[in-house]
C-alpha cells in the first residue's frame, strides 16, 4: 500500500477488527472537576461542590483529568504531564480556569495550550503547553475577572503580563505508536526566556480509582522493577492487562495512592498518608521522604529536575508497552517517531491535496483539535442518583437535575465541544463534529452519530439527551442532516455509501421525529415551539424558562428545524429506496409532513396567525397569549432566516426510479392546486428536478437580500447571528414588563441565558456552514437563473454557489494571516501572536466577533469550529 495510505491502513485494520489501534488515545479529560457527574450536592451547584482547589487532593468518581494526557478507552490507566517552575504554590497537574460564577462572561480556561497534530488512529499526537517561569497568576486572574462587569472584556492570561518577556517554557508532548499498544512518548521542554531557568517534570502514570466506590476483584498496582540506574515500572490491571513503563533515568521515583486526602478536603482522618496529593506536597515542600518511601502504588511519577539554558531544549523519553524490552530507547525509538510524523503529514496532504500551504496548516490544527478532544465520558444516571458504597447523595437529587433520565448510561469515547469548558457531549454539537470527523475517519463519525440513537442514550419516548447540565433541554434536531452529510462524503471519497448506516440512523430517528411532533407542537398546528433550540441568546427573553404572559411561543426556528428534519428524513428515505423499495412509503410520509409544516409557517392569508411579515419581509416568532391574541416578536435574527435551510433538490433520475412516490407526489400537487392549498414545489415538469422549499421563491429572494446586507447579517468574516440593525435596541412590552435586545458583536452583557451564552451578534461556524450548504442546494436547482447583488446593493451579481464560496472565504479569513502577519482571530493579542513562537499557533474559538472576527467564548472549540476544514476543502474541490 502506498506510503500516504499507512494511516488509512491502520483505520482499515481497526474497523475490520484485525488490530485495535484505538484502545489508547487522548481520552483523558482536560477537566473533571466542576462537572455535573462529580456533583453530589443538594442544590446542584457543581462548581462549588468540586472546585479546582479540591482536584489535586480528591478522588474523582466518574473519570480523571490531566495535562496533555492519554488513557485506555475506559480511562482505567492514565498518563499525563505535571510541571513545577519552582515558584508556583501548587504542582501544575491540570489546566486552570474560572468557573461560571467567577468569570465576568462565564467559565473560561486561563491557560495557553495548542493542539498541533493528531492522526485518526492516534499513531502520532503532538500538543504544546506554554508554562510561565514566574509564579502562575491564579489569584490575579480570579480577582481581576470578578472586578469586571458584563460590559468589560474578559481578563486573560496574556493580559497579566506574565508572558511579556518570554520567560516561559514551551512544553511539547508527543506520542507515537510503534504498534497499537506500544506507545512511545517524548516530552520536550524549551526555554524561551532570556535566562537559564529550572523546571521540575513529573510524567505521571496512575490508575483510576474504582476500588473506593464500586469494589474490584483485585486492586490494580504499579510496581518498581529493574536496576537503580535503569528502573522501570509495571502496571497490572484486572480490566486492562499488564504493561511496562520505561523512562530515561530520573532524579527520583515517587509512588502514592490515587485516594482522597480526607483530612485536607473534609477535615476528616486519613487511614494512611499516601494520598492523591502527595506528589504536590513533596515537590512544593522539597521533602520527598514519604513519596520515595514505597516502591509500589496506584500513582507513580519519575521526577526530573532540569535546569534549561536560554534557547535550550531538553527531552525526556518514555515508553508504555505490554512488552518486556531490554533496550526501549534504541535506534528504533527515533525511527518510529520519524516514520509516524512522515505518515501523518502524508495522510494530511492526501486529504488536503488542493489546499494552499496556509490553508493546509489551518486544516491540520483544526483536525488536531477535533481528534485531541475525543474524550472518555462516563455517567450512569441511575447509579449517580443512588450513590455508591461510600456516598449517599442528598434526597433532593432524586427529584432534581436529570433525575428522569435513569436509563442514560454513558461509557464511551465522545467528541467534546471544548474539552475544558464543555467536557461533556452536546447532541447538536456532536452532529456538526461528525461532519468534520468524516473527512478523516468515516468509521468514527458514523459510530459517534449512531451512539445518540442507542438505548443507553435515547430515552424510551425517543428524546435525544441534550447536554449534561440538562438532558431534557432541546437541542436542534440535526442528527439526520449530519447522517446524510456523512453518507455523501463517504460516497464521494470511496465511491460507495453505507446504506446500512443510513438505515440504522433512519429507524431510530423516526422515533425521535415522533417525539418532536408529540411534544413540541402544543397547538397541533405544525408550528413548533421547543425552547432552547441552540439559539438561546437570540431572543428578548429566555425561551427555555417560561414564556411571558403565560403564553405559547411559536418559534420560527423550531418550525424551521422541524421542516429541515422532515427533508433530511425524506432525503435519507429516497437514498435508501434506491436500494430497498420498501422505504418508498416513508418518502411520501415525510413529504406530506413537510407540506403541512410549510403551509403552517407560510400562510398566505393576511390574518394575524401568519409568521411572515409582508411589510418587513421577515419571519418572526409569535407569542400566543391565553386570550388568543397573537403578538409578533420582531427580532431580526438568524432564527428568522433559518427557514431558508429547509430545502431539498430531488433529482429527476431519483424520481424516475421511484414511480410510486413520483405518482403520489404528482397527485398531492394536483390536489393542492385544485383546492387552492399552499404549494411547496417551486416548479414541476416531467423532465425536471423537483425543488422542495419551506420558503417560496419571492420570499426567498427577500430573505437572501437581508442575509447579504452588510448593515444587517453579512459581516466581513461571515454571517452574524443578529442583525446589526439592532444596534438600535428592540423593545417590546408583554404583560406589563419590558423586554429588550440589542446587537452585541462579541461578549454578552446579560447573564439571562447563562454566563457564557451569546447569540446577540457573533458569527458562529455551524450556522454559517448551514447557510452556505443551503445556498449551494438552491444553486443545484436554479443554477445561473438566480443571481443576487453581493453584497446587497452592489453591482456585483453572483449566483448562489459563487455567493456560498465568497461567504466561506470570509469565514476562513478569520484564521489567515493578513499582509501584516495578523490573524483576525487574535485581534486582542496581535502583538504576541506575531512572536516567533506564537505566530503559527491557531485557536478555534466557540464564536467570533461580528465586527472584527476575533475569537470569543470557549477558546478550544475545535468541535464545530473545525468545520472550517470542510469549507477549505469545498472551495478547493
Amino acid at each position: 500500500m502506498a506510503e500516504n495510505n499507512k494511516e488509512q491502513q491502520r483505520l482499515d485494520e481497526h474497523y475490520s477488527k484485525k488490530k485495535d489501534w484505538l484502545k489508547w488515545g487522548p481520552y483523558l479529560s482536560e477537566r473533571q472537576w466542576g462537572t455535573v457527574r462529580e456533583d453530589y450536592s443538594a442544590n446542584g451547584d457543581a462548581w462549588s461542590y468540586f472546585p479546582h482547589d479540591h482536584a489535586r487532593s480528591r478522588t474523582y468518581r466518574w473519570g480523571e483529568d490531566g495535562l496533555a494526557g492519554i488513557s485506555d478507552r475506559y480511562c482505567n490507566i492514565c498518563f499525563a504531564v505535571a510541571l513545577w517552575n519552582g515558584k508556583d504554590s501548587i504542582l501544575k497537574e491540570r489546566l486552570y480556569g474560572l468557573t461560571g460564577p467567577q468569570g465576568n462572561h462565564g467559565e473560561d480556561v486561563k491557560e495557553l495550550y495548542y493542539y498541533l497534530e493528531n492522526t485518526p488512529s492516534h499513531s502520532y499526537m503532538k500538543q504544546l503547553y506554554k508554562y510561565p517561569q514566574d509564579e502562575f497568576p491564579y489569584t490575579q486572574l480570579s480577582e481581576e475577572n470578578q472586578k469586571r462587569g458584563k460590559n468589560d472584556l474578559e481578563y486573560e492570561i496574556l493580559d497579566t503580563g506574565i508572558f511579556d518577556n518570554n520567560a516561559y517554557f514551551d512544553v511539547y508532548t508527543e506520542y507515537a505508536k510503534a504498534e497499537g499498544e506500544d506507545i512511545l512518548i517524548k516530552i520536550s521542554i524549551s526555554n524561551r526566556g532570556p535566562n537559564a531557568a529550572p523546571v521540575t517534570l513529573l510524567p505521571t502514570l496512575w490508575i483510576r480509582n474504582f476500588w473506593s466506590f464500586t469494589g474490584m476483584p483485585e486492586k490494580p498496582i504499579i510496581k518498581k522493577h529493574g536496576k537503580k540506574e535503569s528502573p522501570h515500572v509495571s502496571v497490572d490491571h484486572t480490566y486492562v492487562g499488564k504493561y511496562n513503563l520505561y523512562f530515561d533515568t530520573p532524579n527520583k521515583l515517587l509512588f502514592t495512592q490515587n485516594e482522597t486526602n480526607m483530612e485536607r478536603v473534609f477535615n476528616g482522618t486519613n487511614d494512611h498518608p499516601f494520598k492523591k496529593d502527595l506528589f504536590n506536597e513533596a515537590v512544593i515542600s522539597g521533602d520527598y521522604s514519604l513519596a520515595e518511601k514505597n516502591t509500589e502504588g496506584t500513582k507513580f511519577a519519575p521526577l526530573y529536575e532540569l535546569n534549561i539554558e536560554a534557547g535550550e531544549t531538553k527531552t525526556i523519553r518514555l515508553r508504555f508497552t505490554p512488552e518486556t524490552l531490554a533496550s526501549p530507547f534504541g535506534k528504533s525509538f527515533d525511527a518510529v517517531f520519524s516514520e509516524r510524523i512522515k505518515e501523518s503529514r502524508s495522510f494530511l496532504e492526501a486529504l488536503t491535496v488542493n489546499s494552499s500551504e496556509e490553508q493546509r496548516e489551518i486544516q491540520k490544527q483544526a483536525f488536531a483539535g477535533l481528534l485531541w478532544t475525543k474524550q472518555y465520558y462516563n455517567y450512569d444516571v441511575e447509579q449517580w442518583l443512588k450513590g455508591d458504597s461510600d456516598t449517599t447523595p442528598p434526597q433532593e437529587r432524586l427529584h432534581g437535575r436529570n433525575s428522569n433520565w435513569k436509563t442514560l448510561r454513558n461509557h464511551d469515547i465522545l467528541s467534546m465541544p471544548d474539552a475544558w469548558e464543555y467536557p461533556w457531549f452536546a447532541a447538536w454539537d456532536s452532529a456538526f463534529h461528525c461532519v468534520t470527523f468524516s473527512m478523516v475517519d468515516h468509521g468514527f463519525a458514523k459510530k459517534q452519530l449512531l451512539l445518540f440513537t442507542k438505548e443507553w442514550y435515547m430515552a424510551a419516548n425517543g428524546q435525544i439527551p441534550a447536554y449534561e447540565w440538562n438532558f431534557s433541554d432541546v437541542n436542534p434536531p440535526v442528527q439526520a442532516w449530519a447522517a446524510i452529510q456523512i453518507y455523501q462524503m463517504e460516497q464521494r471519497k470511496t465511491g460507495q455509501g453505507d446504506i446500512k448506516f443510513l438505515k440504522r440512523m433512519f429507524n431510530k430517528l423516526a422515533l425521535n421525529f415522533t417525539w418532536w411532533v408529540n411534544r413540541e407542537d402544543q397547538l397541533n398546528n405544525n408550528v413548533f415551539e421547543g425552547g432552547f433550540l441552540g439559539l438561546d441568546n437570540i431572543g428578548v427573553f429566555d425561551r427555555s424558562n417560561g414564556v411571558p404572559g403565560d403564553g405559547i411561543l411559536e418559534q420560527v426556528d423550531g418550525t424551521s428545524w422541524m421542516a429541515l428534519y422532515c427533508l433530511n428524513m425524506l432525503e435519507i428515505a429516497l437514498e435508501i429506496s434506491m436500494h430497498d423499495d420498501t422505504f418508498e412509503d416513508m418518502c411520501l410520509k415525510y413529504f406530506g409532513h413537510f407540506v403541512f409544516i410549510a403551509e403552517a409557517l407560510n400562510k398566505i392569508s393576511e390574518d394575524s396567525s401568519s409568521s411572515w411579515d409582508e411589510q418587513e419581509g421577515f419571519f418572526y416568532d409569535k407569542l400566543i397569549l391565553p386570550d388568543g391574541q397573537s403578538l409578533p416578536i420582531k427580532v431580526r435574527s438568524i432564527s428568522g432566516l433559518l427557514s431558508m435551510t429547509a430545502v431539498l433538490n430531488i433529482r429527476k433520475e431519483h424520481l424516475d426510479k421511484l414511480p410510486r412516490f413520483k405518482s403520489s407526489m404528482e397527485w398531492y400537487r394536483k390536489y393542492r392546486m385544485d383546492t387552492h392549498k399552499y404549494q411547496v414545489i417551486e416548479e414541476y415538469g416531467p423532465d425536471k428536478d423537483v425543488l422542495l422549499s419551506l420558503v417560496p421563491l419571492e420570499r426567498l429572494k427577500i430573505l437572501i437580500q437581508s442575509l447579504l446586507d452588510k448593515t444587517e447579517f453579512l459581516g466581513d468574516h461571515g454571517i452574524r447571528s443578529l442583525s446589526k440593525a439592532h444596534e438600535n435596541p428592540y423593545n417590546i412590552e408583554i404583560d406589563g414588563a419590558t423586554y429588550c435586545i440589542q446587537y452585541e458583536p462579541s461578549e454578552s452583557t446579560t447573564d439571562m441565558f447563562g454566563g457564557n451564552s451569546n447569540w446577540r451578534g457573533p458569527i458562529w461556524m455551524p450556522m454559517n456552514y448551514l447557510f452556505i450548504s443551503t445556498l449551494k442546494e438552491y444553486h443545484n436547482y436554479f443554477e445561473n437563473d438566480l443571481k443576487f447583488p453581493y453584497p446587497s446593493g452592489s453591482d456585483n451579481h453572483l449566483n448562489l454557489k459563487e455567493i456560498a464560496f465568497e461567504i466561506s472565504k470570509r469565514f476562513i479569513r478569520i484564521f489567515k494571516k493578513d499582509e501584516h502577519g495578523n490573524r483576525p482571530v487574535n485581534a486582542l493579542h496581535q502583538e504576541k501572536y506575531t512572536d516567533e513562537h506564537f505566530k503559527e499557533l491557531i485557536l478555534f474559538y466557540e464564536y467570533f466577533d461580528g465586527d472584527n472576527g476575533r475569537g470569543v467564548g470557549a477558546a478550544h472549540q475545535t468541535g464545530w469550529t473545525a468545520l472550517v476544514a470542510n469549507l477549505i476543502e469545498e472551495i478547493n474541490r
Side-chain angles (χ1 to χ4, degrees):
M1 184 171 286
E3 180 183 293
N4 64 0
N5 285 327
K6 288 285 180 66
E7 179 60 21
Q8 186 60 53
Q9 180 181 342
R10 281 188 278 270
L11 292 176
D12 292 342
E13 288 176 344
H14 177 79
Y15 290 117
S16 63
K17 298 185 178 179
K18 293 179 181 177
K19 189 176 291 186
D20 190 356
W21 281 100
L22 292 172
K23 181 174 181 178
W24 296 87
Y27 311 140
L28 182 66
S29 179
E30 286 181 354
R31 180 173 65 82
Q32 188 70 14
W33 60 272
T35 59
V36 168
R37 284 154 286 160
E38 302 295 343
D39 176 22
Y40 284 77
S41 68
N43 62 354
D45 185 354
W47 291 117
S48 297
Y49 181 77
F50 204 133
H52 176 268
D53 186 54
H54 283 190
R56 65 184 180 274
S57 304
R58 186 171 169 185
T59 305
Y60 297 123
R61 168 61 179 89
W62 296 99
E64 293 288 344
D65 61 15
L67 182 62
I70 61 171
S71 76
D72 65 283
R73 64 167 54 92
Y74 297 118
C75 198
N76 290 292
I77 301 174
C78 308
F79 175 89
V81 175
L83 302 156
W84 189 56
N85 58 15
K87 298 176 182 177
D88 286 351
S89 59
I90 60 173
L91 196 61
K92 176 61 68 177
E93 294 179 278
R94 57 188 49 80
L95 298 168
Y96 172 74
L98 302 186
T99 69
Q102 288 177 322
N104 62 323
H105 292 289
E107 63 261 42
D108 187 32
V109 67
K110 300 299 184 184
E111 304 268 19
L112 295 182
Y113 59 105
Y114 306 86
Y115 309 115
L116 300 183
E117 204 158 341
N118 207 327
T119 60
S121 70
H122 312 305
S123 60
Y124 178 69
M125 303 188 290
K126 186 176 184 180
Q127 194 249 36
L128 167 62
Y129 173 70
K130 290 182 177 286
Y131 185 42
Q133 292 171 8
D134 291 326
E135 185 177 0
F136 195 91
Y138 293 105
T139 302
Q140 184 182 356
L141 286 164
S142 176
E143 290 182 351
E144 181 60 32
N145 272 285
Q146 290 181 68
K147 290 177 187 175
R148 298 190 175 198
K150 292 293 181 186
N151 291 307
D152 300 315
L153 293 171
E154 295 170 4
Y155 188 64
E156 305 292 0
I157 192 166
L158 282 174
D159 299 322
T160 67
I162 199 167
F163 287 92
D164 285 356
N165 63 351
N166 288 335
Y168 68 90
F169 298 106
D170 270 341
V171 183
Y172 293 95
T173 305
E174 297 175 86
Y175 301 92
K177 292 181 180 178
E179 286 294 334
E181 297 195 67
D182 186 0
I183 304 170
L184 285 56
I185 306 167
K186 285 199 299 187
I187 303 169
S188 303
I189 306 179
S190 301
N191 182 355
R192 302 303 185 200
N195 303 307
V199 64
T200 300
L201 169 66
L202 295 89
T204 306
L205 181 73
W206 75 99
I207 299 169
R208 179 182 172 193
N209 186 336
F210 276 119
W211 57 90
S212 295
F213 300 101
T214 62
M216 296 182 71
E218 185 177 348
K219 184 177 178 180
I221 193 166
I222 304 171
K223 282 186 178 181
K224 176 188 171 184
H225 297 275
K227 300 178 182 178
K228 183 177 181 181
E229 299 77 22
S230 57
H232 71 276
V233 296
S234 66
V235 186
D236 191 349
H237 198 294
T238 304
Y239 301 152
V240 193
K242 296 182 179 181
Y243 298 86
N244 294 302
L245 178 69
Y246 298 94
F247 38 86
D248 283 332
T249 304
N251 297 95
K252 304 178 189 298
L253 297 179
L254 310 182
F255 287 88
T256 191
Q257 299 291 341
N258 183 21
E259 296 175 4
T260 298
N261 184 336
M262 300 297 291
E263 182 179 329
R264 179 178 183 271
V265 178
F266 299 113
N267 294 317
T269 302
N270 289 325
D271 53 350
H272 60 76
F274 299 97
K275 298 300 179 180
K276 179 180 178 179
D277 56 10
L278 179 58
F279 297 173
N280 178 83
E281 300 306 314
V283 172
I284 303 303
S285 68
D287 181 0
Y288 293 97
S289 57
L290 193 59
E292 288 189 285
K293 183 177 181 180
N294 289 337
T295 57
E296 62 181 50
T298 53
K299 182 178 179 181
F300 162 77
L303 181 143
Y304 301 88
E305 296 172 333
L306 307 173
N307 191 67
I308 306 179
E309 296 294 330
E312 184 186 13
T313 298
K314 290 190 175 180
T315 299
I316 299 299
R317 301 171 300 172
L318 303 98
R319 188 165 188 169
F320 184 77
T321 177
E323 306 297 325
T324 300
L325 302 174
S327 180
F329 303 120
K331 292 181 180 179
S332 64
F333 186 90
D334 289 333
V336 168
F337 262 102
S338 297
E339 190 68 18
R340 294 297 175 265
I341 292 170
K342 187 177 179 182
E343 291 164 1
S344 175
R345 307 291 160 80
S346 296
F347 181 73
L348 176 70
E349 288 170 6
L351 289 177
T352 61
V353 64
N354 295 319
S355 300
S356 68
E357 185 176 346
E358 183 178 27
Q359 288 173 337
R360 184 173 290 129
E361 186 61 33
I362 295 169
Q363 289 177 298
K364 184 186 82 171
Q365 293 190 45
F367 293 144
L370 191 70
L371 289 159
W372 267 99
T373 49
K374 284 170 62 175
Q375 310 271 280
Y376 169 75
Y377 185 86
N378 186 201
Y379 187 14
D380 182 329
V381 172
E382 186 173 28
Q383 185 68 54
W384 179 74
L385 292 170
K386 287 193 312 186
D388 298 298
S389 57
D390 71 335
T391 307
T392 303
Q395 287 297 305
E396 290 90 337
R397 78 184 307 152
L398 295 176
H399 307 285
R401 175 184 287 134
N402 297 331
S403 58
N404 59 332
W405 282 85
K406 295 182 180 66
T407 59
L408 190 140
R409 301 182 306 280
N410 301 153
H411 190 45
D412 301 286
I413 301 300
L414 292 172
S415 175
M416 303 296 180
D418 177 310
W420 190 92
E421 192 158 325
Y422 303 109
W424 29 260
F425 68 83
W428 81 305
D429 295 61
S430 295
F432 288 109
H433 302 180
C434 290
V435 175
T436 301
F437 260 116
S438 197
M439 285 189 70
V440 295
D441 187 350
H442 297 305
F444 182 82
K446 291 184 289 187
K447 184 177 179 181
Q448 186 80 171
L449 204 56
L450 282 164
L451 265 182
F452 291 89
T453 70
K454 298 293 187 184
E455 61 275 13
W456 58 91
Y457 281 76
M458 181 183 282
N461 62 7
Q463 184 177 11
I464 289 175
Y467 47 86
E468 183 177 273
W469 287 83
N470 184 2
F471 287 130
S472 293
D473 218 335
V474 279
N475 276 183
V478 290
Q479 286 73 27
W481 172 84
I484 195 66
Q485 297 289 319
I486 292 167
Y487 173 86
Q488 291 169 347
M489 291 173 71
E490 185 174 24
Q491 190 177 48
R492 281 195 300 271
K493 184 175 181 179
T494 66
Q496 185 173 355
D498 188 344
I499 288 294
K500 287 185 178 180
F501 162 70
L502 277 190
K503 283 186 174 182
R504 292 174 70 189
M505 287 298 301
F506 184 89
N507 290 337
K508 287 294 190 72
L509 289 178
L511 298 176
N512 179 247
F513 185 90
T514 302
W515 174 84
W516 273 88
V517 172
N518 291 338
R519 296 293 297 275
E520 301 299 343
D521 179 14
Q522 295 184 54
L523 299 181
N524 199 29
N525 63 354
N526 290 299
V527 178
F528 292 82
E529 301 92 44
F532 175 69
L533 285 176
L535 311 185
D536 49 339
N537 208 6
I538 210 166
V540 292
F541 48 79
D542 186 348
R543 305 183 304 186
S544 291
N545 293 308
V547 175
D550 296 321
I552 295 172
L553 185 69
E554 294 193 331
Q555 298 176 202
V556 175
D557 55 330
T559 305
S560 301
W561 285 124
M562 282 303 291
L564 176 62
Y565 199 173
C566 268
L567 291 184
N568 296 147
M569 293 295 279
L570 170 57
E571 188 173 9
I572 293 172
L574 286 167
E575 187 63 32
I576 296 173
S577 295
M578 297 292 106
H579 306 266
D580 183 350
D581 62 7
T582 63
F583 276 75
E584 200 168 351
D585 290 338
M586 299 307 293
C587 297
L588 186 59
K589 178 255 191 299
Y590 286 103
F591 169 73
H593 207 124
F594 174 73
V595 170
F596 299 140
I597 294 174
E599 181 176 35
L601 185 67
N602 285 282
K603 280 187 177 178
I604 304 299
S605 62
E606 297 298 325
D607 62 34
S608 61
S609 65
S610 177
S611 296
W612 174 259
D613 188 304
E614 194 68 45
Q615 184 176 359
E616 299 185 15
F618 212 77
F619 283 109
Y620 294 122
D621 288 354
K622 290 185 305 171
L623 179 61
I624 310 299
L625 297 172
D627 63 2
Q629 180 185 355
S630 177
L631 186 64
I633 310 295
K634 293 193 173 185
V635 176
R636 296 180 71 85
S637 72
I638 52 173
S639 175
L641 295 175
L642 193 65
S643 54
M644 293 193 304
T645 65
V647 57
L648 175 63
N649 182 33
I650 305 176
R651 296 293 188 184
K652 174 185 176 296
E653 54 266 30
H654 283 183
L655 287 172
D656 290 343
K657 292 178 182 178
L658 300 172
R660 286 192 294 119
F661 173 66
K662 182 178 180 181
S663 174
S664 296
M665 192 169 61
E666 289 173 348
W667 177 90
Y668 222 110
R669 181 173 182 273
K670 183 177 184 303
Y671 167 76
R672 297 187 72 80
M673 287 179 68
D674 292 344
T675 55
H676 306 290
K677 290 182 177 290
Y678 180 73
Q679 286 291 337
V680 299
I681 300 175
E682 189 56 45
E683 296 179 36
Y684 186 77
D687 296 315
K688 281 187 157 187
D689 295 348
V690 170
L691 182 73
L692 302 181
S693 173
L694 181 60
V695 183
L697 181 57
E698 292 309 310
R699 292 181 179 178
L700 175 68
K701 291 178 180 178
I702 296 169
L703 291 174
I704 289 180
Q705 287 174 12
S706 294
L707 180 77
L708 304 181
D709 189 337
K710 294 185 74 173
T711 67
E712 284 217 72
F713 293 100
L714 183 63
D716 289 340
H717 302 92
I719 303 300
R720 303 181 180 104
S721 50
L722 187 69
S723 171
K724 201 168 183 180
H726 289 308
E727 284 183 317
N728 295 315
Y730 169 75
N731 297 282
I732 186 170
E733 185 171 307
I734 305 171
D735 200 24
T738 299
Y739 299 86
C740 175
I741 188 169
Q742 185 173 12
Y743 170 77
E744 300 176 71
S746 51
E747 290 90 351
S748 175
T749 59
T750 175
D751 58 5
M752 185 193 311
F753 309 91
N756 60 338
S757 280
N758 193 340
W759 280 92
R760 301 194 160 206
I763 293 162
W764 294 73
M765 177 71 242
M767 301 308 296
N768 272 255
Y769 193 81
L770 270 180
F771 284 121
I772 289 166
S773 301
T774 294
L775 295 176
K776 291 177 184 176
E777 186 71 4
Y778 279 114
H779 176 79
N780 289 338
Y781 183 81
F782 290 109
E783 297 183 333
N784 286 325
D785 292 339
L786 198 58
K787 292 188 174 183
F788 291 87
Y790 178 83
S792 294
S794 72
D795 295 326
N796 181 37
H797 285 71
L798 302 177
N799 66 39
L800 290 176
K801 182 178 180 180
E802 292 168 335
I803 290 171
F805 280 13
E806 290 303 315
I807 296 173
S808 297
K809 291 175 184 176
R810 286 180 182 238
F811 192 90
I812 295 166
R813 195 185 303 153
I814 291 172
F815 307 99
K816 293 181 68 175
K817 294 178 184 176
D818 63 17
E819 62 273 18
H820 305 294
N822 296 319
R823 304 179 202 265
V825 64
N826 300 323
L828 284 185
H829 301 102
Q830 284 186 354
E831 184 177 351
K832 186 47 118 178
Y833 277 92
T834 57
D835 178 89
E836 177 185 1
H837 300 295
F838 276 82
K839 63 183 180 180
E840 301 305 328
L841 303 175
I842 304 173
L843 290 175
F844 299 82
Y845 283 80
E846 184 179 3
Y847 48 90
F848 302 88
D849 189 297
D851 291 341
N852 61 30
R854 76 171 173 91
V856 190
H860 295 76
Q861 192 96 354
T862 27
W864 61 24
T865 302
L867 282 162
V868 67
N870 299 65
L871 291 183
I872 292 172
E873 188 271 335
E874 289 166 15
I875 66 171
N876 291 322
R877 189 180 298 164

